[in-house]
Amino acid sequence: MDILTKLIKRVLSFAEKVESLQKFARVSKQFSLPLCFDSISHQKTPNLGFAEDSKVFVYETMVRRSLRSRKHKHNENEDIISNLTDCILIHVLSFLNAKEAAQTCILSKRWITLWKGLPTITLSSSNFRTEKSLAEFLSHFLSLRDGSTTIHTLDVHCLYYLEPSLFQMIIKYAISHNVQHLLMNFPCRIDLFPSCFFSCHTLTSLNLSGYDILFGQIPIFPKNLNLPALTSLSLKYFSFHRSDAGCVVEPFSTFNMLNRLIIDSCIVQDAQNLCISSTKLVNLTIIMHDCEPKTIIGTYFGLELYAPSLQTFAFSGPYTPKLFASKNVLSSIKHVNIHVTCYWNSKARETSPVLLNWLVVLTNIESLTICLYTLEVLSLVRDLLKVEFPSLFNLKSLKLKTPMPSSKLDKRVDFLIQNSPSTKVDIIHL
């Protein structure tokens, strides 16, 4: 009954939102209000919008009263779930993992084939006792699924290594059904990927995880990926190497549509800097491996940015890497998040001037988020408060994350906002 209870709760919640949309469409004609929601088959949470419009506030109040009234008058024997369309029910099933969704076939005849049309497939090894049971379920699930339905999202979470044959079966099936979003949240071996993966033209979002370098193995990120539609890429535990004919490590230059990039605990071999070249990149997140650079070669590297459209830059790590970019690129960055994870190691002390230089060259920052450790590293700069600081004139928002409750702003914060005294400062207690 757990799966039934969970499903009913999701259906009832979603049904109320759908009814709200329907009433909004009717009432909007009376108030001459525009509609602002996408197809419910593509949007998890329908957006009523216009929260500040008084007319809509009146409408929303009417809807809430109507829903409460309906709950009181509702016939307990009425099957309101079965009255919903296939489109809505499949959308609701997309919130469940594949095993739970398939189990709904026993509810009634209405549900026997609904799960076969799921565009979103979520698999988790935690739902299976053994890898064998996972493999058996997956084999049956994919063979019985409606082959005419494309896969919008394939999300796999696994606590152990998948057998090569099972792994390849999953990837081949997804690509043959025009997968758009592929999330592999388990250690992946690039050499086991089928050849069709390297030239998938429908993939727009890719999330891959390799092996943690602390375990002695880390896969090399391939140089021959041809993913022309890719807009979002997230990589964890990978090694970047120079191309055979090049002298720089530049692994992303072929992704012409890339606008979001996350690099987490990766290393750079054969070079001192990682080159990030993308004309459409808007959002960049760098998470450095949290270990001493002297222990493992490649964990400390500089960043070369050739991304003229970059607007948001987030960094997290135990020390600050050197940043190389043109003035045009640096001036395009408006939102910055700097999280230095510690301030007591030798590398943090050595790179404190680098951190200060970041804040100087990123001249057009409008919002800056830092943590207490970031301030501690910054304070390692000799005579910091006496240093000339010709930057952050456009700063509008400064957020300081700290584990220590405090309502007072210290002199280091005053140093950062000296050229923009009207900056809104928020202290966030962790």
Side-chain angles (χ1 to χ4, degrees), residues 37-138:
F37 52 87
D38 296 323
S39 171
I40 58 176
S41 62
H42 294 89
Q43 189 165 323
K44 292 183 178 180
T45 306
N47 177 21
L48 293 178
F50 305 105
E52 298 178 1
D53 194 302
S54 59
K55 294 181 179 180
V56 177
F57 175 77
V58 173
Y59 153 70
E60 290 179 344
T61 302
M62 293 169 55
V63 171
R64 293 191 186 97
R65 291 176 180 174
S66 175
L67 289 174
R68 285 196 295 267
S69 175
R70 177 172 178 173
K71 287 180 181 178
H72 289 300
K73 297 179 181 179
H74 178 60
N75 183 354
E76 293 183 358
N77 296 322
E78 181 184 356
D79 186 2
I80 63 171
I81 298 179
S82 295
N83 291 333
L84 298 175
T85 64
D86 285 0
C87 178
I88 295 176
L89 293 178
I90 289 176
H91 180 82
V92 173
L93 287 180
S94 296
F95 289 92
L96 305 178
N97 63 58
K99 185 177 181 179
E100 292 173 333
Q103 288 174 338
T104 61
C105 68
I106 66 173
L107 297 179
S108 70
K109 292 182 179 180
R110 178 78 167 81
W111 294 84
I112 291 178
T113 60
L114 280 175
W115 64 272
K116 297 181 180 181
L118 276 176
T120 298
I121 300 176
T122 302
L123 289 167
S124 176
S125 63
S126 61
N127 298 123
F128 302 89
R129 293 183 178 180
T130 64
E131 184 180 357
K132 182 180 179 181
S133 61
L134 169 60
E136 291 176 350
F137 167 81
L138 192 57

Side-chain angles (χ1 to χ4, degrees), residues 310-311 313 323 325-336 338 355-368 389-396 416 419-420 423:
L310 188 61
Q311 295 183 13
F313 176 47
L323 189 62
S326 67
K327 289 185 178 180
N328 289 337
V329 172
L330 295 171
S331 63
S332 70
I333 301 175
K334 300 294 189 295
H335 312 285
V336 175
I338 305 175
L355 175 59
L356 177 61
N357 185 63
W358 276 25
L359 298 174
V360 171
V361 298
L362 295 171
T363 56
N364 287 338
I365 297 178
E366 295 180 2
S367 67
L368 174 63
F389 188 62
S391 188
L392 301 186
F393 288 92
N394 297 323
L395 191 64
K396 299 176 182 178
L416 293 176
N419 296 321
S420 50
T423 298

Side-chain angles (χ1 to χ4, degrees), residues 316 337-341 369-374 399-406 426-430:
S316 177
N337 187 328
I338 305 175
H339 178 72
V340 180
T341 55
T369 301
I370 57 177
C371 67
L372 182 61
Y373 286 171
T374 304
K399 295 180 180 179
L400 173 61
K401 296 181 179 181
T402 173
M404 302 177 185
S406 173
D426 293 315
I427 300 178
I428 303 172
H429 299 144
L430 301 178

Side-chain angles (χ1 to χ4, degrees), residues 162-170 192:
L162 293 178
E163 285 293 327
S165 57
L166 178 61
F167 174 74
Q168 291 183 351
M169 179 184 70
I170 296 173
L192 293 180

Side-chain angles (χ1 to χ4, degrees), residues 97-237:
N97 63 58
K99 185 177 181 179
E100 292 173 333
Q103 288 174 338
T104 61
C105 68
I106 66 173
L107 297 179
S108 70
K109 292 182 179 180
R110 178 78 167 81
W111 294 84
I112 291 178
T113 60
L114 280 175
W115 64 272
K116 297 181 180 181
L118 276 176
T120 298
I121 300 176
T122 302
L123 289 167
S124 176
S125 63
S126 61
N127 298 123
F128 302 89
R129 293 183 178 180
T130 64
E131 184 180 357
K132 182 180 179 181
S133 61
L134 169 60
E136 291 176 350
F137 167 81
L138 192 57
S139 178
H140 286 89
F141 183 90
L142 297 182
S143 63
L144 294 174
R145 185 178 177 274
D146 181 4
S148 64
T149 302
T150 60
I151 296 180
H152 180 267
T153 302
L154 175 61
D155 187 358
V156 183
H157 296 257
C158 197
L159 301 176
Y160 42 74
Y161 305 121
L162 293 178
E163 285 293 327
S165 57
L166 178 61
F167 174 74
Q168 291 183 351
M169 179 184 70
I170 296 173
I171 300 298
K172 286 181 180 179
Y173 184 90
I175 292 177
S176 65
H177 288 76
N178 299 323
V179 64
Q180 296 180 40
H181 305 278
L182 183 62
L183 296 87
M184 300 281 100
N185 294 293
F186 59 93
C188 299
R189 287 181 54 185
I190 293 295
D191 59 308
L192 293 180
F193 275 80
S195 58
C196 57
F197 166 78
F198 294 91
S199 58
C200 179
H201 286 202
T202 61
L203 199 60
T204 61
S205 177
L206 178 62
N207 187 326
L208 293 179
S209 179
Y211 303 82
D212 191 336
I213 193 172
L214 296 178
F215 292 101
Q217 291 180 311
I218 187 166
I220 299 174
F221 186 70
K223 306 167 187 174
N224 57 336
L225 280 181
N226 179 24
L227 307 175
L230 194 69
T231 59
S232 177
L233 177 63
S234 177
L235 300 173
K236 186 173 185 177
Y237 301 140

Side-chain angles (χ1 to χ4, degrees), residues 258-370:
L258 192 66
N259 60 46
R260 177 176 177 269
L261 176 62
I262 299 175
I263 300 173
D264 186 356
S265 303
C266 295
I267 66 173
V268 173
Q269 301 284 5
D270 308 327
Q272 294 182 337
N273 300 327
L274 174 64
C275 179
I276 299 174
S277 178
S278 176
T279 58
K280 295 189 177 182
L281 187 65
V282 175
N283 193 314
L284 173 63
T285 299
I286 303 289
I287 304 172
M288 304 290 276
H289 205 293
D290 196 5
C291 66
E292 279 286 350
K294 295 179 181 179
T295 305
I296 302 175
I297 298 175
T299 55
Y300 178 73
F301 50 86
L303 299 173
E304 295 183 25
L305 302 181
Y306 300 93
S309 301
L310 188 61
Q311 295 183 13
T312 301
F313 176 47
F315 170 81
S316 177
Y319 34 79
T320 313
K322 293 182 179 180
L323 189 62
F324 305 93
S326 67
K327 289 185 178 180
N328 289 337
V329 172
L330 295 171
S331 63
S332 70
I333 301 175
K334 300 294 189 295
H335 312 285
V336 175
N337 187 328
I338 305 175
H339 178 72
V340 180
T341 55
C342 66
Y343 62 90
W344 52 83
N345 65 27
S346 59
K347 200 64 179 180
R349 182 177 297 275
E350 291 175 15
T351 58
S352 57
V354 178
L355 175 59
L356 177 61
N357 185 63
W358 276 25
L359 298 174
V360 171
V361 298
L362 295 171
T363 56
N364 287 338
I365 297 178
E366 295 180 2
S367 67
L368 174 63
T369 301
I370 57 177

